Amino acid sequence: MTETMAGRQTLGRTAQGLQPTIWLMLALAVGMGAAAVTLAPGPVRLALAGGAGTLACLAILVKLLGRRHGRGDGGVLRVSDLIAHDASPGFATDGDGRILYHNGSAQTRFGDCDGQKLGRALGRVLANPAAVLYRLQTRAAAQGSAREEVDTGRGRMQLSVHRLPAGGFLWRLDEVGEREAEAVAGGQPGLPMLTVSKSGTILFMNDALRRLVGGRPRSLDAVFPYLPLRTGEETEITGADGPLRCIVAEVEGAGGRREVYLLPAGEGGTQPTAARADFESLPLALARLTPDGRLVQANRFAREILDLAPLGPLPDLRLAELLEGPGRPVEDWLADAMSGLAEKRPQVLRLRKADPEAFLQVTLRRVAEDGRPGLLAVFHDATELKSLEAQIIQSQKMQAIGQLAGGVAHDFNNLLTAISGHCDLLLLRHDRGDPDYADLVQVHQNTNRAASLVRQLLAFSRKQTLEPEVFDLRDTLAELTHLLGRLVGEKIVLSLHHDPDLSTVRADRRQIEQVIMNLVVNARDAMPEGGEIRIETENRTLRRPLCRDRAVVPPGNYVVVSVSDQGVGIPPERADKVFEPFFTTKRMGEGTGLGLSTAYGIVKQTGGFIFFDSTPGAGTVFTIYLPACAATPEPAVASSAGQGGTVASAGQEAEGVVLLVEDEAPVRAFAARALRLQGHKVLEVDTAEDALEMLRDPTLHVDVFLSDVIMPGMDGPSWVREALKDRPSARVIFMSGYAEEALATGRTAVPNAVFLPKPFSLSQLSQTVQRQLQLTAVEAG
């Protein structure tokens, strides 16, 4: 005790010598601080008034004292004399947070706490002082000083800290009261305000707001029924005497905290008459909605587009009852718009009661009226836009399915070629009396059935090989009558009606027969109780383009074939899927779903158009437009080698050298064996590059190039063109699971070439090669 008293006497003498200088500096610093508080704007004014200016003054003095009298414990004691009579609690601590000195205000507030940790002393007012003290001390150690506002059970407190020259820390606690809060708000007395956490818990509420709401609610939604809040927006609060309107001002704070200030709203709670008139006369479809989507007001354009009564009160409806979409509940979209997540992002919704189908593009904007937030909806008719989008999607979908079907068909044709070919080779070694002969015939027949199914896939993808000819549809339908009669059964009457002057068409007769059969079978299945199927043909001339069902039929002369029934009809919701492959309304096992899609593909590849009209419960009419063609003799088709008839020119079969290029080993093995059985010399390679390498030998003679079209690396037409430069007299046969059109797409024709579609039989392959060799002999002779 004696040593401590001696130290204090020494400090007193030292301080006495310094007092004139120190108090002059202190007076100047305080004066500058007061001026700063007076001149600063609202938020800055609070920071200065709350103790930052005083702390800055003390910081200057601490540095001056440290420079003049050195460091150590004496430095702490000198500062203690300066804060001894401060009205705010002050502490001096060491680096570990142990209290070395506290002033009288701290003694009064916290009791005798010398030697204690500062965190323990502040535990009476702060819930978790250790975290706050550690955060502030770390920042002060790095930056020299730090401060932070914290909330206590009694209000808010500003905790400031400054690093001392001797290595300790000077702490100061300032209560932030009503007066300072009013200073932040611009000097308006009694301005209601509160502090809220990130989770919506109210941390502090001043007396003005407590009187306004009649207590101290715990959460923000107990004060504001319409959340979230927005600065500058008029809203409603739950007052002690009923709802009140005010304007909200929010200030972001540290740690996700916000200070919310309430400003008085303008007078008048009803919408002006002029504003209502402008809302009604605007040339836009506008509607006001509550946050949950209930219709409050709609102008005449909105009433018209929403199919509401033009006059009278609005029905009690929500937007979700009028519109559906956009892939999720409408209520969720409205909630996002209220929170600002989906504001001004238009959505296309379907009008529920519209017939025919109608779509609206809806844009939402958050608004506030009479202190209550809501939504302003702007409607635009998007039916045409949606129809165009549906056309593009449907076109892309059909194209994608077509590409998939074509690719699958190509691979299956390679397999079927190998199966059918090797079956033909086995049949050559078995006569009809052989026990295995019947089994081989079954394999061959089922292979042909599989090939027919693949042709249907290719028909839809428009990649099958067509053999067009000019013919009269009346003759074709007359030949089909007996077969069609057996297909429809006894309950159904089949009638044909023809135009006596019907024009001819140019198409693949076999494929057109397939289209008629598919449509008749479809009509039969639509009439389980019986009825009549009418097939009619007529000439029709279009003077202008015919636009319907997303297609445009150009002007010209057409032969129109219609197939009508009296069946159950096609529901409107299924109309878009009628021509899609594998879509069927029949039960499992009763249909493949390829009938109408096959008809669609064949008609499109022929250059025609197919449409349908259907009335549920009354029947369906399918109408086909085929370009009319003059009845001229059809020349013999020299480029197609798929038919298995007799060889055109009589005479003894020629033998030659065939270069076989095929990447599929089973197909190559079958073709090589079949040609060798016919006496030909066969050179086999699996790539185009190997073929060109083999042909570099000038002594090698080749009569026929037999090549696949699609191969890895160089394709068939490319290597053949290269080879024909040195061997122009060689004949060419292209074989492929795709259509012959694949050869001509973006290419010049290959001379001396014919096309052999897969799958082909042994006889078709032999006859095609023989025909090419005979043509070579004719040219040489």
Side-chain angles (χ1 to χ4, degrees):
M1 177 68 69
T2 305
E3 293 179 357
T4 304
M5 291 299 297
R8 289 186 180 274
Q9 291 174 0
T10 304
L11 171 64
R13 288 193 297 268
T14 306
Q16 219 172 20
L18 294 174
Q19 276 182 356
T21 305
I22 292 174
W23 292 120
L24 176 60
M25 292 181 180
L26 181 59
L28 291 174
V30 171
M32 289 186 289
V37 170
T38 304
L39 298 176
V44 179
R45 195 182 309 158
L46 173 61
L48 294 175
T54 306
L55 186 64
C57 299
L58 291 174
I60 296 172
L61 295 177
V62 165
K63 290 184 178 180
L64 289 174
L65 290 172
R67 289 175 185 172
R68 183 157 186 181
H69 293 279
R71 305 189 179 197
D73 292 340
V76 175
L77 293 176
R78 295 188 189 101
V79 173
S80 67
D81 279 356
L82 296 178
I83 66 172
H85 302 288
D86 192 351
S88 296
F91 300 89
T93 66
D94 60 13
D96 295 328
R98 190 173 302 278
I99 298 175
L100 303 177
Y101 172 78
H102 62 277
N103 64 3
S105 298
Q107 177 78 22
T108 303
R109 179 79 179 271
F110 301 100
D112 188 5
C113 50
D114 274 348
Q116 294 182 12
K117 289 293 187 71
L118 182 60
R120 181 180 177 183
L122 298 184
R124 304 173 188 176
V125 293
L126 299 180
N128 185 18
V132 178
L133 295 176
Y134 176 79
R135 184 167 59 247
L136 286 173
Q137 184 168 312
T138 302
R139 285 162 48 191
Q143 303 173 6
S145 62
R147 61 188 173 88
E148 184 175 316
E149 285 191 9
V150 293
D151 292 285
T152 69
R154 298 171 54 187
R156 290 186 305 164
M157 180 175 68
Q158 181 171 266
L159 185 58
S160 307
V161 59
H162 194 282
R163 187 183 67 230
L164 294 174
F169 294 90
L170 177 64
W171 300 83
R172 189 171 190 268
L173 282 73
D174 293 285
E175 298 289 342
V176 180
E178 300 281 336
R179 192 172 303 171
E180 288 82 359
E182 291 168 4
V184 172
Q188 298 190 27
L191 194 64
M193 64 83 61
L194 59 85
T195 303
V196 62
S197 69
K198 190 175 182 179
S199 62
T201 301
I202 296 177
L203 303 175
F204 169 76
M205 178 182 292
N206 67 359
D207 288 339
L209 186 53
R210 283 197 292 270
R211 289 192 298 270
L212 203 60
V213 300
R216 190 183 186 282
R218 294 177 177 271
S219 60
L220 194 64
D221 57 2
V223 178
F224 301 95
Y226 303 107
L227 296 175
L229 302 176
R230 290 193 177 184
T231 297
E233 187 175 275
E234 185 177 312
T235 189
E236 184 179 285
I237 66 171
T238 305
D241 300 325
L244 299 172
R245 290 164 44 223
C246 64
I247 297 175
V248 174
E250 283 190 303
V251 178
E252 294 293 334
R257 298 176 181 179
R258 294 172 293 155
E259 292 181 352
V260 181
Y261 297 88
L262 307 185
L263 308 175
E267 296 297 327
T270 59
Q271 188 181 10
T273 304
R276 289 199 301 270
D278 290 342
F279 181 84
E280 185 65 31
S281 62
L282 282 173
L284 292 173
L286 301 174
R288 297 184 189 274
L289 311 172
T290 61
D292 61 354
R294 191 176 300 278
L295 280 175
V296 176
Q297 184 181 8
N299 65 4
R300 60 189 181 92
F301 296 102
R303 288 172 179 259
E304 179 181 348
I305 204 170
L306 294 173
D307 196 22
L308 301 175
L311 298 174
L314 284 172
D316 186 16
L317 291 174
R318 298 178 186 270
L319 192 66
E321 299 176 56
L322 298 171
L323 304 170
E324 66 177 358
R328 61 172 180 155
V330 174
E331 291 83 357
D332 293 350
W333 179 49
L334 295 173
D336 286 349
M338 283 298 298
S339 63
L341 297 177
E343 192 179 36
K344 300 181 183 179
R345 296 181 183 175
Q347 293 283 356
V348 177
L349 310 178
R350 190 179 73 85
L351 197 58
R352 287 184 181 274
K353 299 181 180 180
D355 187 23
E357 197 171 47
F359 294 88
L360 300 180
Q361 185 185 58
V362 186
T363 305
L364 298 178
R365 180 182 178 85
R366 179 185 162 113
V367 295
E369 183 179 353
D370 295 337
R372 300 188 178 188
L375 293 169
L376 178 67
V378 183
F379 303 97
H380 295 280
D381 190 349
T383 304
E384 292 186 8
L385 177 65
K386 197 68 176 179
S387 176
L388 179 60
E389 180 186 9
Q391 292 179 31
I392 295 174
I393 293 175
Q394 179 71 7
S395 175
Q396 291 175 339
K397 181 170 64 175
M398 297 290 273
Q399 181 181 7
I401 295 175
Q403 289 176 348
L404 175 62
V408 170
H410 172 265
D411 294 339
F412 266 97
N413 276 335
N414 279 326
L415 298 174
L416 293 174
T417 300
I419 296 171
S420 175
H422 284 92
C423 186
D424 287 342
L425 293 174
L426 287 172
L427 285 171
L428 290 177
R429 301 200 299 269
H430 295 75
D431 55 26
R432 292 182 180 275
D434 194 300
D436 295 331
Y437 187 83
D439 295 335
L440 292 173
V441 170
Q442 281 294 321
V443 172
H444 196 275
Q445 289 177 352
N446 282 280
T447 302
N448 291 336
R449 290 181 60 189
S452 176
L453 181 61
V454 171
R455 280 195 296 271
Q456 293 187 52
L457 287 174
L458 284 172
F460 170 76
S461 63
R462 303 182 225 172
K463 292 182 179 180
Q464 66 172 343
T465 300
L466 298 181
E467 296 173 358
E469 57 180 300
V470 178
F471 63 94
D472 192 325
L473 273 173
R474 292 173 294 184
D475 298 336
T476 302
L477 292 173
E479 296 172 1
L480 277 178
T481 302
H482 180 66
L483 177 59
L484 293 177
R486 292 174 56 189
L487 283 174
V488 299
E490 298 179 354
K491 292 184 179 180
I492 295 177
V493 177
L494 180 67
S495 60
L496 281 75
H497 302 273
H498 298 300
D499 189 327
D501 299 321
L502 192 66
S503 301
T504 56
V505 297
R506 186 175 187 273
D508 188 317
R509 184 193 298 266
R510 180 170 53 88
Q511 298 296 336
I512 294 299
E513 291 176 353
Q514 182 70 52
V515 170
I516 300 298
M517 290 176 60
N518 289 356
L519 294 179
V520 169
V521 170
N522 196 68
R524 176 202 66 189
D525 294 339
M527 298 187 296
E529 303 300 325
E532 180 185 8
I533 299 176
R534 291 174 59 90
I535 302 177
E536 299 180 80
T537 61
E538 63 172 324
N539 291 326
R540 187 172 299 178
T541 300
L542 297 181
R543 305 295 182 186
R544 61 189 64 179
L546 173 64
C547 302
R548 62 165 296 179
D549 298 349
R550 305 169 186 169
V552 179
V553 183
N557 298 321
Y558 293 89
V559 174
V560 179
V561 184
S562 61
V563 179
S564 60
D565 63 60
Q566 301 170 338
V568 296
I570 301 172
E573 63 270 14
R574 296 180 176 176
D576 290 341
K577 298 184 178 181
V578 163
F579 294 119
E580 292 184 8
F582 308 112
F583 174 77
T584 179
T585 58
K586 302 174 186 177
R587 290 179 297 180
M588 184 69 67
E590 293 185 356
T592 62
L594 289 174
L596 293 178
S597 64
T598 299
Y600 173 87
I602 291 172
V603 172
K604 284 293 185 181
Q605 192 173 6
T606 304
F609 299 86
I610 182 170
F611 307 104
F612 76 94
D613 299 280
S614 184
T615 303
T620 303
V621 180
F622 281 89
T623 306
I624 301 172
Y625 286 76
L626 295 174
C629 179
T632 56
E634 189 72 18
V637 179
S639 62
S640 180
Q643 298 295 332
T646 60
V647 179
S649 59
Q652 188 174 0
E653 292 187 357
E655 297 179 359
V657 179
V658 180
L659 175 57
L660 173 60
V661 185
E662 169 63 62
D663 61 307
E664 289 287 339
V667 177
R668 188 172 69 250
F670 153 65
R673 286 186 59 190
L675 294 175
R676 289 189 179 108
L677 286 175
Q678 301 297 319
H680 304 297
K681 180 181 179 181
V682 181
L683 307 174
E684 298 179 55
V685 292
D686 59 355
T687 65
E689 290 77 9
D690 291 345
L692 292 175
E693 183 66 26
M694 182 180 291
L695 292 175
R696 287 184 181 181
D697 183 0
T699 62
L700 179 64
H701 174 73
V702 178
D703 297 302
V704 178
F705 297 150
L706 177 59
S707 174
D708 193 10
V709 175
I710 306 298
M711 296 183 295
M714 188 179 293
D715 60 21
S718 299
W719 84 261
V720 167
R721 288 190 183 90
E722 187 69 24
L724 288 177
K725 293 179 181 179
D726 297 327
R727 301 169 187 267
S729 61
R731 310 297 296 188
V732 182
I733 302 173
F734 287 116
M735 51 185 176
S736 177
Y738 287 122
E740 186 177 357
E741 297 173 358
L743 290 171
T745 305
R747 307 172 185 267
T748 57
V750 177
N752 305 330
V754 295
F755 184 74
L756 180 63
K758 296 178 182 177
F760 49 79
S761 64
L762 186 150
S763 61
Q764 289 173 333
L765 173 62
S766 301
Q767 291 170 9
T768 304
V769 173
Q770 190 63 37
R771 184 181 294 113
Q772 289 294 78
L773 289 173
Q774 288 173 353
L775 290 175
T776 301
V778 170
E779 291 177 357

